[in-house]
Amino acid sequence: MIFHLAVYIVCAAVLAVVFALFEIQIEGKDGWATKLPCWRKRDGLIVKLSGGRPITGYHIVMVTFVILIFHFPFLFAEWTLATEFLILGLLFETFLLEDFFWFVFNPYFGLKKFKKGEIWWHTQWWGPLPSLYYYMISVCVLLLVLSQLID
C-alpha cells in the first residue's frame, strides 16, 4: 500500500508541474489572476481566511475543475472514506506544489524572487515559505496518513 501511495504522490507532483506551466501561460507575470478579465471579491470572511487574497472567478472555476477531475474515478469505483482522504490529500499536495512550481518555472519570478515582499498575494511568511504552505503541508500529510490508517 505504501508503494501505491508513493506512486500517487509522484503522479500528483507531475500533475502540479503541468498545472503550473498551464497557469503560467494564462497569467504570465501577473499572478493571482491580476490582469485576467474575471470577477473579484476583495473583502469578507472568505477573503480574510485566504490571507487577504481576493477571491476571483478564475480561481473558483479552476479549483472546482481540479476537484472534479480528482473525483472523476468515483464514477467507476466505489466511494470509500479512505479513498476520499487520499484524494483530498493529493489535492492539497497538487495545489501546494502547483503554487510553488508557478514561481519556479515562471520566467518573471524564479526562486530568487520567491520571498517575502516580492509576491503581493503571499503576505504572511514563516521563514522561507508563505505561511499558507505550512497549513497545506499539515493538512496534506494528515489526510494521506488517515487514508492509510482507515483502509
Side-chain angles (χ1 to χ4, degrees), residues 123-142:
T123 57
Q124 300 170 357
W125 290 68
W126 296 342
L129 299 174
S131 59
L132 177 64
Y133 284 22
Y134 294 98
Y135 296 121
M136 292 181 77
I137 290 167
S138 300
V139 171
C140 173
V141 169
L142 175 65

Side-chain angles (χ1 to χ4, degrees), residues 51 53 99-100 103 109-135:
R53 290 177 279 287
D99 189 80
F100 178 70
F103 297 103
F109 280 87
L111 283 176
K112 288 183 179 182
K113 290 187 177 181
F114 186 73
K115 59 186 173 185
K116 186 175 184 173
E118 293 283 343
I119 306 160
W120 70 263
W121 58 95
H122 283 305
T123 57
Q124 300 170 357
W125 290 68
W126 296 342
L129 299 174
S131 59
L132 177 64
Y133 284 22
Y134 294 98
Y135 296 121

Side-chain angles (χ1 to χ4, degrees), residues 4-19:
H4 289 111
L5 180 60
V7 170
Y8 297 148
I9 289 170
V10 169
C11 288
V14 170
L15 179 63
V17 169
V18 174
F19 186 16

